[in-house]
Amino acid sequence: MTLGRLIFAEGHIVVPYRNIATLAGGLVIPLMVGLLIRRLFPRVADCLAKALKPLAGIFICVIVVFGIYANLYMFQLLDTMVLLSATCLVLLGYAFGGVAAALMRQSWPDALTIAVETGIQNTGIAIFILRVTLEQPEADINTVVPVAVAIMTPVPLFILWVLQKCVLSRFGICVVKNAEEKICPVACIEEGHQQHNSASVEKLLPNNNDMPVNWQFSTLNNVTTVQPKIRIDEIRGRRVAIFDKEHKRQQALIPRLEKIEVIYEGLNDEKITLIMNKGVSTPYNCAQHINEQLLKRSVVAEVNGEIWDMHRAIPTDCTLKLLHMKPEDLHQATLVNKAFWRSCSFLLGAVVESAFQDEISVCLHSFPPANVRSGSFVYDIQLNLNDWVPSQNDLRQIAASFQKFVRQDHIFQRLDVDSSVALKMFEDNAFKTEQIPHIATKSSTGRSITVYRVGDHIDISRGPMIASSSLVGRCSIAAIHKLNSKLYRFQGVALPSEIHINHFAFGILESRARKLARSNT
């Protein structure tokens, strides 16, 4: 629309559209394959990424070295005006992209990405068109300009990188650590006494997901969080051993397999009768007999009108509905949302408990009943960090660990145990041991506690939970609020894996989730 008209009119340039399309296809197809691998086989993608990073570095070095050697003559054609214009084009591109991103209130990583992508002009296309359309020596002469732009493009980035590494990092400015690193040091439990002297803090403390609403934390002033420090993997290993032993014991109590009739009710009055095993088969097993798409989408089940875990055994003849994240019925949508929110809180506890290093002790307190209106899922956790003010980098690191954990496709395994077993399982956590007797009194037997296992993490919850951690998609740790000297409220927001929204809309959800969530009492 501007210079192009003059160039095409007087330069007699014929654009080789077929060659350009071939080149574009050669770029797009591998990118699509890579995206599919990342989407369908995340573990394979992680392994490939580790292998390809050093290989890509080698390729870049080879291309740069041989490219310079083969085109040394072009450097003789560079003059001050060409270098100045090339530098200005690059800098203006960075500036324009960065300012536009800042005006649109993008986060720092996204603004930086937009600035870089805008500044890096597609010199490859320009060089390609000039090479295939012009005769020599005009092709070489005109290629000098895009080559100059390509040369100047990384210079500002390299200067900033050197500045960051050599100058700013000494003052703790703009240092971005590896998101996969552990945040701080965590042993799981702290020596000493936990104090809760503030009445305002007591109001903020949640009723645990399984705790009676009217229960007050009357003895928290006397809570001891643990004696000798124990590594989190040792604690989890002991809990898993107790869980497995109790699960095997309960399975052995089933004398013989009995058949039950499960009537699945689907869309458009669809009904399918399944003959399943009493006390063994689960809604997940039923979905396996129907179709794979239903199996992948099902979040929770409805058994005889009661919300039910996908991996919880069905005890008797029943009608079965399998619910996904977008049910049309408003009541079902509310129940599914609560199960999703509750599961995210559970997963948050699992991630934070193992996120710190050994010199910081972590003790999971509780998470409140799922409250979608609060805008965030929550877990209250005790840390022996008196003056910790979490940075944005800390939040990003926890979010990265959370995302990595949920991608491992852990199922939520439910087990109802006697309160004595639960006390033994959580004997290292003073908060849980105090909560367990109160929770048990509200069960149907007066002694039962429901625990869930995800990977090697076990926690208390009345449930139900979603079928698998892989049903959690995009997530963010929005805030960490300090409730008292050692108790912190971790808050996050997440979307189901089948729901996708743009960055701006997700930013609104993040902004809401940063507000201190107050428990329903």
Side-chain angles (χ1 to χ4, degrees), residues 126-307:
I127 294 171
F128 173 78
I129 292 178
L130 291 170
R131 285 286 188 180
V132 299
T133 55
L134 297 180
E135 300 291 337
Q136 294 295 351
E138 287 83 0
D140 287 343
I141 294 173
N142 287 280
T143 305
V144 169
V145 176
V147 167
V149 175
I151 292 172
M152 299 307 300
T153 294
V155 172
L157 299 179
F158 180 73
I159 292 173
L160 288 175
W161 180 78
V162 172
L163 185 66
Q164 162 112 10
K165 292 293 182 181
C166 300
V167 182
L168 297 182
S169 60
R170 296 183 181 181
F171 301 97
I173 302 173
C174 297
V175 177
V176 180
K177 297 179 181 178
N178 186 350
E180 299 295 336
E181 291 179 355
K182 296 198 171 190
I183 307 165
C184 308
V186 165
C188 345
I189 324 197
E190 176 199 346
E191 302 177 13
H193 296 276
Q194 170 68 19
Q195 299 295 326
H196 299 273
N197 298 324
S198 170
S200 60
V201 170
E202 188 169 327
K203 291 179 181 178
L204 286 171
L205 288 173
N207 297 310
N208 186 286
N209 191 272
D210 293 4
M211 292 162 52
V213 171
N214 60 355
W215 186 60
Q216 300 297 321
F217 293 83
S218 56
T219 61
L220 285 181
N221 288 329
N222 300 319
V223 168
T224 301
T225 54
V226 173
Q227 298 96 15
K229 290 185 178 179
I230 313 172
R231 291 179 61 84
I232 185 61
D233 52 355
E234 296 175 6
I235 291 178
R236 287 186 168 183
R238 185 178 54 77
R239 289 178 184 170
V240 167
I242 297 172
F243 184 97
D244 289 341
K245 182 179 179 180
E246 177 62 17
H247 182 259
K248 290 179 181 177
R249 186 192 70 80
Q250 294 185 18
Q251 290 294 104
L253 295 177
I254 302 175
R256 61 185 180 85
L257 289 179
E258 298 180 25
K259 298 299 181 181
I260 56 174
E261 186 178 87
V262 178
I263 301 175
Y264 166 71
E265 297 180 352
L267 298 175
N268 302 321
D269 297 325
E270 175 191 16
K271 288 191 177 182
I272 300 175
T273 301
L274 303 169
I275 305 300
M276 308 300 291
N277 295 319
K278 179 180 180 180
V280 176
S281 298
T282 65
Y284 185 86
N285 299 136
C286 295
Q288 286 177 312
H289 289 283
I290 301 173
N291 66 64
E292 186 176 357
Q293 184 176 4
L294 182 66
L295 179 70
K296 291 181 178 180
R297 292 195 67 196
S298 298
V299 179
V300 292
E302 189 178 281
V303 176
N304 287 336
E306 179 183 353
I307 291 295

Side-chain angles (χ1 to χ4, degrees), residues 286-361:
C286 295
Q288 286 177 312
H289 289 283
I290 301 173
N291 66 64
E292 186 176 357
Q293 184 176 4
L294 182 66
L295 179 70
K296 291 181 178 180
R297 292 195 67 196
S298 298
V299 179
V300 292
E302 189 178 281
V303 176
N304 287 336
E306 179 183 353
I307 291 295
W308 204 266
D309 295 274
M310 287 294 292
H311 297 282
R312 182 182 177 185
I314 301 173
T316 185
D317 295 340
C318 67
T319 57
L320 171 69
K321 294 181 181 179
L322 299 175
L323 308 181
H324 53 79
M325 285 306 307
K326 298 179 181 179
E328 296 181 359
D329 182 83
L330 182 60
H331 177 66
Q332 289 180 346
T334 301
L335 295 175
V336 169
N337 275 337
K338 286 185 176 181
F340 180 80
W341 232 232
R342 183 185 303 116
S343 303
C344 288
S345 291
F346 186 100
L347 293 168
L348 179 59
V351 169
V352 175
E353 188 179 47
S354 61
F356 295 82
Q357 296 174 3
D358 292 338
E359 60 266 27
I360 301 299
S361 70

Side-chain angles (χ1 to χ4, degrees), residues 357-372:
Q357 296 174 3
D358 292 338
E359 60 266 27
I360 301 299
S361 70
V362 176
C363 191
L364 300 185
H365 185 290
S366 56
F367 58 94
N371 180 12
V372 180

Side-chain angles (χ1 to χ4, degrees), residues 408-425:
Q408 294 173 3
D409 194 16
H410 296 292
I411 67 168
F412 283 81
Q413 188 176 358
R414 175 187 174 115
L415 188 66
D416 295 318
V417 302
D418 188 80
S419 59
S420 61
V421 177
L423 286 170
K424 185 178 180 181
M425 191 178 291

Side-chain angles (χ1 to χ4, degrees), residues 1-33:
M1 296 296 292
T2 55
L3 295 177
R5 290 184 176 181
L6 179 62
I7 293 170
F8 278 78
E10 298 186 6
H12 305 290
I13 294 176
V14 178
V15 179
Y17 291 107
R18 179 175 297 179
N19 293 342
I20 294 175
T22 303
L23 177 64
L27 292 173
V28 172
I29 293 173
L31 289 174
M32 295 302 297
V33 171

